[in-house]
Amino acid sequence: MTKSNKTGFEIPDQMREMADQSVDQARKAFDDYMSAARKTVGNVETTASTVRAGADDFGRTAMEYSEEHISAAFDLAQKMVRASTPQEMMQLQSDYLRKQMEALGEQVRDLGDKATKTARDASSQK
């Protein structure tokens, strides 16, 4: 048994070993916790990066579509100014609306696919 010089208090060797093991176990538990925390932070950062990239792509695509719609509207305005009869103007308007509705349907599907892909990619990284 070990004797302390200051107080005369004896600490049994078994108690000392148990305390040492307890400290080792606590250190291992802390190290495991920190490892898990680092992994979680890494996963969150990866997921956030994926979502950010998807949002950037979504935004760029939406901006491109907006430009296409505005350009088509200016084209229509230019054609309408040059039209010589009300029937021609009505036909131009009808053609414009049909083409815009077709384009809008495709664009909504594309943006929906992009959003779904981003969500799927983000959830697969967990």
Side-chain angles (χ1 to χ4, degrees):
M1 295 205 190
T2 305
K3 204 174 206 183
S4 173
N5 292 336
K6 290 183 180 177
T7 63
F9 180 71
E10 293 182 20
I11 300 174
D13 289 340
Q14 284 181 320
M15 251 182 117
R16 204 177 282 281
E17 286 175 26
M18 282 179 36
D20 192 38
Q21 287 174 355
S22 293
V23 170
D24 286 344
Q25 288 174 347
R27 181 183 305 273
K28 183 183 180 323
F30 177 75
D31 289 346
D32 291 347
Y33 170 79
M34 289 306 296
S35 178
R38 281 189 207 97
K39 183 178 178 184
T40 300
V41 167
N43 288 343
V44 168
E45 288 173 349
T46 300
T47 300
S49 177
T50 298
V51 170
R52 193 174 317 115
D56 289 348
D57 183 40
F58 189 93
R60 278 191 299 277
T61 301
M63 195 65 138
E64 289 170 12
Y65 291 156
S66 295
E67 289 177 33
E68 290 173 14
H69 286 284
I70 292 168
S71 178
F74 279 120
D75 289 346
L76 172 65
Q78 196 169 43
K79 289 176 184 176
M80 295 283 269
V81 169
R82 294 180 182 155
S84 55
T85 66
Q87 291 82 10
E88 185 180 358
M89 290 177 83
M90 292 298 286
Q91 187 60 48
L92 288 169
Q93 181 72 22
S94 176
D95 291 345
Y96 168 80
L97 288 173
R98 182 182 45 75
K99 288 178 184 175
Q100 289 303 105
M101 292 308 288
E102 288 173 4
L104 186 59
E106 291 173 20
Q107 293 165 354
V108 167
R109 276 189 297 279
D110 182 42
L111 291 172
D113 290 346
K114 287 180 184 297
T116 300
K117 181 184 181 308
T118 298
R120 189 176 333 134
D121 290 349
S123 67
S124 71
Q125 294 175 350
K126 292 181 178 178

